[in-house]
Amino acid sequence: QVQLVESGGGVVQPGGSLRLSCVARGYTYPSYSMGWFRQAPGKEREGVAAIENDGSKYYADSVKGRFTISRDNAKNTVYLQMTGLKIEDTAMYYCGTNNRNGETFIQYGLGKGGIWGQGTQVTVSS
């Protein structure tokens, strides 16, 4: 059973930066895509960024040019570097993995059978 553990959230001022990490523990699936999702209060969970096992990356329009996803397969870890943070980026951020392509993560979510982490809170506030 794979367990995903996120870290790196916190409180930051607008324009600031944070780096989120997600470590996969247990039996891992290196061929699976991994992604970051977020959910703000009263809103649906949305795909933010995704990366496939070959390194192909996909981003939601709202974060393009500001967020960067990367993965270190040797460490079973995926990262989300967030810069130029805005108040509207405030949300609980979740890591997820599933056997589907990264673009699908962004458009349709993690999908049936996907594995979620417990989330890490990001708050952007002045």
Side-chain angles (χ1 to χ4, degrees):
Q1 182 70 26
V2 177
Q3 182 184 20
L4 302 178
V5 180
E6 302 99 329
S7 62
V11 180
V12 64
Q13 291 185 341
S17 300
L18 282 174
R19 189 177 82 153
L20 306 183
S21 299
C22 171
V23 179
R25 296 173 177 166
Y27 185 80
T28 59
Y29 304 91
S31 64
Y32 279 22
S33 298
M34 296 194 73
W36 286 98
F37 303 77
R38 67 186 181 187
Q39 187 167 19
K43 295 187 177 181
E44 292 187 356
R45 193 172 298 188
E46 61 176 354
V48 173
I51 185 167
E52 298 176 351
N53 66 314
D54 66 355
S56 298
K57 303 176 183 181
Y58 304 87
Y59 298 95
D61 289 343
S62 59
V63 306
K64 282 180 181 176
R66 300 189 298 122
F67 291 10
T68 302
I69 190 170
S70 60
R71 67 191 289 174
D72 184 336
N73 288 336
K75 296 182 178 179
N76 293 327
T77 302
V78 63
Y79 304 97
L80 185 68
Q81 179 68 50
M82 305 185 293
T83 62
L85 282 162
K86 304 176 181 180
I87 291 176
E88 52 263 41
D89 293 319
T90 295
M92 183 72 78
Y93 282 71
Y94 299 89
C95 176
T97 186
N98 204 355
N99 187 22
R100 56 182 1 195
N101 67 56
E103 190 171 18
T104 303
F105 278 16
I106 303 300
Q107 293 183 346
Y108 303 110
L110 189 61
K112 185 178 180 181
I115 299 169
W116 291 104
Q118 83 289 350
T120 185
Q121 178 67 38
V122 172
T123 302
V124 185
S125 174
S126 55

